[in-house]
Each structure stands twice: as structure tokens, then as C-alpha cells.
Amino acid sequence: MTPKVGGGRPWGPIRAENPAARKLAETLRRHVDDSGKTLAVLSGEISMSKAQTGVYLAGKVPTQAFIAALIRATIRPELRERRQEEALALREQAMRPAPRTTTGAPVVAGPGAGYAVELAPAQARQIETYDRLTRALEQRAEVERAKNNSDKLVMVLLNMIHQLDRRVTDLAKERDQLLARPRSEALEDAERKLARAEEQEQRARAELRRAEEKQRQAEDLEARVTDQLRQLTDELDRLRASDTTSPLDTLPALADEAEAGPVSADPVGDDIDAALARATAVNDEDNTTLNRLTSQLNEPTADVVQDNPPDNPGVLASRSVSAASPLPGVPDEGQEAVRALLQRSPAPDLFVRFLAEATRWENVQVHGIKRQNAKPGAPLDYSGYLRLRRQGSQFGGFAYVYAEHSSINLRLHHTREQLDAIGATQARTRITGHRGYRVSIDLTDETSLTQAIHLAELAYTAT
């Protein structure tokens, strides 16, 4: 028995009267499998008994009404017409199969001899090519939707980052004004809001990097699918030499993508978190779609940027960060906490490589953070960020590193012009946080890693 694509009870054997009837049954079964519906559910939707539905799907030539009802119940609206045409063409062949020759009887040659025998294979090739063409069209539609999602998400995240920059600046001013007064509840509230806003900005930048990577993946896939469509169209034209109409003329139009809703201007942190959660969901959905399409196009997975959802527990195992190898420089008591952060990191490999390089420098150690109001003797906290410190230095550290975001905050005071002059084009200046740490860089690729290590060396030397 043939296993069903979506699992469940396997299909029984197909007992068809001729090859066209078998091809029709296989096609209809595939539609049912792709829909994920059981025969019980499908029978109810097409108003036919489960037994009779099973008979038609086992090879008996179905009625036109059955084909139309099954297509309507299993195929997306924009593809129904094409799928129904294909199925009805197969039904026509099944109803009028090519005549069989009697064993041992001489074949009488004459006008058109052999035409009926050749017709069925030729039609089968056309139908097969139509099927591949339709699937390629579906792939192009999915790629375009994913690309549109990424395009819109990039714009939304850029807007969000701009809003967060303003929010961070305003909260920093509010905090600085309150610093002149005795410590109060208002100051603590301002500090909490500022820390939350800075963390949200880091998350937004991480999602922006993911969305931009999805853009590049989608553009590459779109070019390949378009080339495949062109090749299939040419192939079909050769098969239908007597028909000058391009198959693309009758292919279903793509559904218009819904416009993105207005970006919320509400500065409340809860609303920002909700927006970031939606951004993550869109990135995850597009990642699943693009990787699936890449696999369908038989593209080697090594050539595709594999992007695990941030909350995927297996993210470390699927990248080159080994679950068995200790994280370089991180004390034993911090290993578990930092690994948990790396599971949500957009670039864990780059972050670990940065740690491995920095902790090879003389007297460099990795420390957790001592939280405010911590009791004497309480262990250091490794669940937020880490401090890289040169032992014996009078300064607290030359870098603060964020495993969750693969970001590096350095004890430097360089201006934008100075950063550009030394080739640190991916670094950015900061106006918030500790006054000594005014340069940050996100690890996104080999170039950013090289620049981050160079900047860290400058900060290390200065301390």
C-alpha cells in the first residue's frame, strides 16, 4: 500500500483500467494529501459517501462533478481552474483510451497508423509539464509573498528602531535629570524603562538583520524560479508545436498581497514587545517557506543561509556551536546561562569566535554582572550580558558583550568620522548608557567580526 504524504492510513492499491485512469487517481490522491484532509472530512465537504469517494480514488474513472467538487475542496482558489483542466483532460483520456492490439494479430499499416499509440505518451508529457509549470507558479507565488513580507518588515523595523532611538534618548535625559536628586522611586522607574528600551532596540536590530537576510534569500530564489518557469514554458511550447499560445497566458493570476497595517506609534514598552513578537513570527514563517522552497528546488543546503527561529532549543546543535565544548572564557557557573542566551542569538558562531579571540589576550577574563541590591556573597549574574576585563586594569572592563544579540559594546569614544577612518564601517556611536562606552557593533558577518576584534583590541590596549 502507498503511504500517504501527510501520514494517517496508507492509500490502497490503484486498480485502474488504463494508464490515464491511473494517472488521474494518482493526481486526485495527491491533491487530497496536499490538503491534509481525511476521507471522512472530504466526503462531507463534497456531499458523497466515504465509500464512493474511495472507489473513485482507487482508480474508477470519476464523474466530472466529482472532480470539480474534489478540486474545490482541496485546491486554493487561484489554482482551481488549472488543476480542474488537468484532471478533466486525464478523465477524457481515461474515457477514450488508445485501442489495444490483440496479441498475435498483425498490425495493419495505413494512414495515421501508430498515431493513437503515440498520442497518449505525448499528452502525458504535456500534462506532466503543465503540472511542473503549475507547481513552479505556486513556488513563485510563495517566494513573492515571503519577499513582500520581508520588504515590509524591514520598513517596519527601521521605523521601530527610529522610534526606540528617540525613546532611549528621552529616557536617558529623564534619568540624568533625576540623578541630581536623592535616589527615589522615580529614578529607579526611569532606569528600568531605559534598560528595557535599550534591550528592545537590540532585539529590533537583530530582527532587522534576519529580515534583510530573508530579502536576499527571496531574491535569489525568485530568480531561480523565474528561470525554471521560462524553461518549462519553452518545453511546453515544443510539445505543443501547433499551439502558438503561451501556457503562461492561462496560468492563474497571483493573489494580491494585503498591505501592511500602520505602524503603532505607541511608545509603551508592552506594545513594543508585542510588535517585536510579530516581527519574529513573520521572520520565522518566511524562513520556513524559503528553506522549504530551496529544498524543493534541489539547491544544496550549504549554499543557503539556514536561519533557526530564535526560540528553537536545537539552535546550538544545528550550528557549529558545540553543546559539548565549553564557551571560551566563560566561568563554569555562567556556561548554562550564556548558552541559553545563545539559543536566541542571530549569530552565535560569530559571538563565540569573538570570545575565543578576546580571551586569548593577556590577562583577559570574562565576568558576570553584580546586580544592584544583590546580597553580599551572591553569585554574579550571567543572564544579561558579560564584562570583558583586563586583570589589573583600573577600569571596569574594556567591553560589555551581549550573547543574546551578538552585540559588542566597547570602552571607546570614537566619533563616526574616526570609526570610518579606521575602517570600522559597521560600528555605531552611542549617546546612552555609561559615558565611557560609546561604540557598539553587531556581529552579522565576517567583516563585522573582524572590525569588532580590531575595536576590542583598541579598547583593550587603552585599559
Side-chain angles (χ1 to χ4, degrees), residues 296-308:
Q296 291 175 358
L297 290 170
N298 297 321
E299 182 74 5
T301 55
D303 294 340
V304 179
V305 177
Q306 298 296 331
D307 179 15
N308 290 285

Side-chain angles (χ1 to χ4, degrees), residues 4 14 20 27 81 85 185 206 215 218 223 231 260 273 281 284 349 354 362 370 398 446 452-453 462:
K4 296 184 71 173
I14 294 178
T27 299
E81 182 178 357
E85 287 178 2
E185 185 175 335
Q215 279 183 313
Q231 293 177 11
D273 280 339
D284 291 346
D349 285 346
F354 176 87
E362 185 178 4
K370 186 175 182 180
F398 64 87
E446 293 295 330
I453 291 174

Side-chain angles (χ1 to χ4, degrees), residues 57 64 103 125 127 175 218 246 265 313 327 358 371 390 401:
L57 293 176
Q64 293 186 22
T103 304
R125 286 196 299 273
I127 291 172
R175 186 272 317 271
S246 170
L327 297 173
R371 294 295 184 183
R390 183 177 184 178
V401 296

Side-chain angles (χ1 to χ4, degrees), residues 133 223 225-235 237 248:
L133 191 62
V225 172
T226 299
D227 184 62
Q228 186 182 71
L229 281 170
R230 189 180 302 110
Q231 293 177 11
L232 289 171
T233 301
D234 293 341
E235 179 181 343
D237 285 343
L248 289 178

Side-chain angles (χ1 to χ4, degrees), residues 438-450:
R438 286 299 191 232
V439 173
S440 290
I441 185 168
D442 298 326
L443 300 178
T444 59
D445 52 23
E446 293 295 330
T447 300
S448 63
L449 177 61
T450 300

Side-chain angles (χ1 to χ4, degrees), residues 19-194:
R22 169 175 287 276
K23 177 70 173 177
L24 176 58
E26 291 173 348
T27 299
L28 296 180
R29 285 184 177 189
R30 186 174 67 248
H31 294 336
V32 175
D33 285 338
D34 291 345
S35 72
K37 296 179 179 179
T38 64
L39 283 186
V41 172
L42 182 65
S43 299
E45 292 184 358
I46 65 178
S47 301
M48 181 171 290
S49 70
K50 181 179 177 181
Q52 185 60 47
T53 301
V55 168
Y56 282 145
L57 293 176
K60 180 178 175 62
V61 179
T63 63
Q64 293 186 22
F66 174 83
I67 290 176
L70 185 140
I71 295 294
R72 188 167 55 252
T74 59
I75 302 299
R76 299 204 313 267
E78 65 267 24
L79 296 172
R80 286 174 186 165
E81 182 178 357
R82 168 59 56 200
R83 295 296 194 189
Q84 184 168 324
E85 287 178 2
E86 294 171 353
L88 291 177
L90 281 172
R91 181 181 184 276
E92 184 69 17
Q93 291 181 56
M95 296 294 290
R96 296 177 177 81
R100 298 179 181 176
T101 57
T102 304
T103 304
V107 178
V108 180
Y115 174 76
V117 177
E118 296 175 357
L119 180 60
Q123 288 180 331
R125 286 196 299 273
Q126 285 191 40
I127 291 172
E128 180 185 4
T129 304
Y130 265 122
D131 186 65
R132 291 164 57 198
L133 191 62
T134 304
R135 287 183 177 275
L137 178 70
E138 291 175 332
Q139 291 172 339
R140 186 177 71 176
E142 289 187 281
V143 170
E144 289 184 350
R145 280 195 293 273
K147 184 176 181 299
N148 287 341
N149 285 343
S150 295
D151 290 344
K152 294 169 185 175
L153 187 56
V154 166
M155 296 303 298
V156 169
L157 287 169
L158 286 172
N159 193 353
M160 183 185 297
I161 290 170
H162 175 69
Q163 298 283 348
L164 283 167
D165 282 340
R166 292 174 54 187
R167 176 175 168 78
V168 166
T169 301
D170 292 342
L171 287 170
K173 290 179 180 178
E174 179 182 346
R175 186 272 317 271
D176 291 343
Q177 291 173 355
L178 292 169
L179 284 173
R181 308 174 187 176
R183 189 155 191 91
S184 63
E185 185 175 335
L187 175 58
E188 293 178 357
D189 183 61
E191 289 176 337
R192 283 194 299 269
K193 288 181 179 178
L194 178 58

Side-chain angles (χ1 to χ4, degrees), residues 107 111 343 392 437:
V107 178
Q343 289 180 0
Y437 299 83

